[in-house]
DNA sequence: AAATGTGAAGCGATTCACAGCC
DNA sequence: GGCTGTGAATCGCTTCACATTT
């Protein structure tokens, strides 16, 4: 099973397959076909076969995939056997929610540090971890060998926090603040904005129906194609 | 100005451009080139020009785009002038965090209902809205003309909640529970799993040769490697 | 008969290159 | 000279069709 040339699109679906398989395994299912995995994951059977075939020959023709075996292949590939050490910067409602979600995620993510700028929060705990002042970030990130920093601060603080994270040697940043970050080459940032998700959803229905009621003065607004 | 559909890929980037422009406008910038907008958003200048040109002729050759004008075009297109009525199902830490984030999102999303199954929570408030028992969902969703339901429950409850949402006439569901939902034709679901996001990030460094990081921010559509 | 694995076709999105305008 | 707007080329992903295996 090789990782060479695995496409981003395929890679991004593997966690979804893994989750589906975990559910099936818990339900005691032993074999699954691409068709029934398609039903539990909401993806296309064709696509699942193609994706899985790229990891190697994992199924039995005429039979399907053995659930636990396939799951362990995916686990292997996704590095789920390894523990990822995570820090959270910003312990507001969202930060705390993320902190408490980490151990439940079913993946090996472990919260090892938490930071906030508010004096009121310092010394209290987030999911069992003491909250430290953000000024200590660079040093603590190194001491605790943090792999990934999750930014859950207000937008204005996000860039400074990202700078501190980079200073602490972090190369993976998951940014929940609604702002674009600038980081040096080699640091990977992924932005997740709640409002963008909501916006994307609304665009799936806004298009056609509302369109014609718009005023004449402005040119016709193009609508979104439904996938 | 084209009459045909705007592609989903383009549509999903418009909110990002809008956010970038809002930042620029606040900073007092009057004109912006595709190149500098590329820097603030982390996307490619080529792509920005292509996307924007699909909405119409919005820029001036040799000059760039007028920030406020372009922003108002995007606002128009994204229907940001309209208020979206949102309900949250599941008022745990994540639900409450999302509730309090809504008004800050800078888009017109308004929380109009909140539900939970825990007797302890019923009657308390989430961002100023009284929390109701989930059994009342279908009726209340209709009464309050809810456009979108955000599911922030534990995974096991998510499907039942989705069923109630559909029963209440909802066609847009944003699902934060780490489970795949089954919904009837015509209902649009978007799954956002926090652990998947983290997983996606880790994949960007686990595969051996660290992939070249050309961009500063993540691509609009979330993918792992860049080729 | 049933279901995988895979080349090839089809399709959509991105990048390129340059024409057109300021 | 600078920058947008856009057809054409390219690239990558998905879908299809079917050969292959159990």
């Amino acid at each position: 099973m090789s990782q060479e040339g695995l496409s981003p699109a395929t890679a991004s679906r593997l966690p979804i397959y893994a989750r589906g398989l975990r559910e099936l395994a818990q339900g005691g299912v032993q074999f699954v076909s691409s068709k029934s995995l398609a039903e539990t994951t909401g993806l296309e059977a064709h696509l699942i076969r193609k994706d899985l075939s790229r990891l190697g020959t994992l199924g039995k023709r005429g039979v399907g995939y053995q659930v636990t075996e396939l799951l362990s292949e995916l686990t292997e590939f996704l590095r789920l056997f390894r523990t990822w050490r995570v820090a959270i910067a910003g312990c507001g409602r969202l930060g705390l929610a993320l902190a408490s979600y980490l151990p439940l995620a079913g993946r090996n993510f472990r919260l090892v540090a938490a930071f906030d700028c508010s004096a009121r929060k310092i010394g209290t705990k987030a999911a069992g971890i003491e909250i430290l002042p953000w000024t200590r970030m660079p040093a603590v990130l190194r001491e605790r060998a943090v792999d990934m920093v999750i930014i859950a601060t207000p937008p204005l603080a996000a860039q400074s926090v990202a700078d501190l994270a980079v200073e602490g040697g972090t190369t993976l940043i998951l940014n929940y603040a609604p702002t674009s970050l600038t980081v040096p080459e080699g640091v990977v940032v992924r932005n997740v904005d709640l409002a963008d998700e909501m916006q994307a959803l609304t665009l799936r229905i806004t298009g056609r129906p509302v369109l014609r009621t718009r005023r004449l003065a402005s040119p016709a607004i193009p609508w979104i194609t439904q996938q």
Side-chain angles (χ1 to χ4, degrees), chain A:
Chain A
M1 133 164 156
S2 99
Q3 328 178 333
E4 310 283 335
L6 192 62
S7 81
T10 295
S12 73
R13 281 187 297 265
L14 298 185
I16 299 174
Y17 301 147
R19 188 167 59 230
L21 290 167
R22 237 174 273 130
E23 281 173 21
L24 289 170
Q26 277 181 335
V29 180
Q30 304 233 323
F31 279 89
V32 66
S33 67
S34 58
K35 199 168 164 224
S36 55
L37 188 54
E39 275 160 31
T40 73
T41 58
L43 297 165
E44 291 283 331
H46 276 304
L47 195 49
I48 294 177
R49 288 211 301 282
K50 191 91 180 174
D51 282 343
L52 294 180
S53 76
R54 283 191 257 249
L55 295 181
T57 300
L58 304 173
K60 275 197 171 54
R61 300 187 185 210
V63 180
Y65 303 89
Q66 213 225 320
V67 173
T68 56
E69 194 179 292
L70 180 53
L71 183 53
S72 83
E73 283 293 331
L74 292 180
T75 298
E76 172 93 2
F77 180 80
L78 294 169
R79 299 292 196 279
L80 294 176
F81 55 80
R82 166 192 189 308
T83 295
W84 293 88
R85 300 171 67 84
V86 176
I88 290 187
C91 297
R93 265 183 275 254
L94 180 59
L96 293 178
L98 295 172
S100 63
Y101 177 66
L102 276 188
L104 306 174
R107 272 82 150 211
N108 295 334
F109 294 110
R110 189 159 129 219
L111 182 70
V112 296
F115 305 93
D116 204 284
C117 63
S118 149
R120 231 180 55 248
K121 293 253 171 73
I122 310 294
T124 65
K125 294 198 168 185
I129 298 292
E130 189 186 349
I131 299 175
L132 303 174
W134 71 332
T135 48
R136 292 187 52 198
M137 269 186 71
V140 173
L141 292 181
R142 283 186 201 284
E143 281 163 23
R144 304 192 185 173
V146 167
D147 298 301
M148 184 190 304
V149 171
I150 299 181
I151 297 182
T153 66
L156 287 177
Q159 183 63 58
S160 324
V161 167
D163 294 343
L164 290 175
V166 169
E167 200 185 322
T170 306
T171 55
L172 294 178
I173 294 177
L174 187 55
N175 177 33
Y176 279 88
T179 187
S180 298
L181 300 179
T182 304
V183 295
E185 188 92 1
V187 177
V188 182
V189 177
R190 182 144 158 63
N191 293 305
V192 185
D193 183 4
L194 165 65
D196 283 350
E197 304 291 345
M198 295 175 63
Q199 196 67 71
L201 253 190
T202 67
L203 286 175
R204 310 260 306 250
I205 60 158
T206 3
R208 268 162 273 233
V210 201
L211 186 64
R212 300 244 169 42
T213 62
R214 298 299 307 154
R215 66 196 144 82
L216 298 168
S218 77
I221 299 167
W223 52 71
I224 310 297
T225 51
Q226 209 76 18
Q227 303 216 46

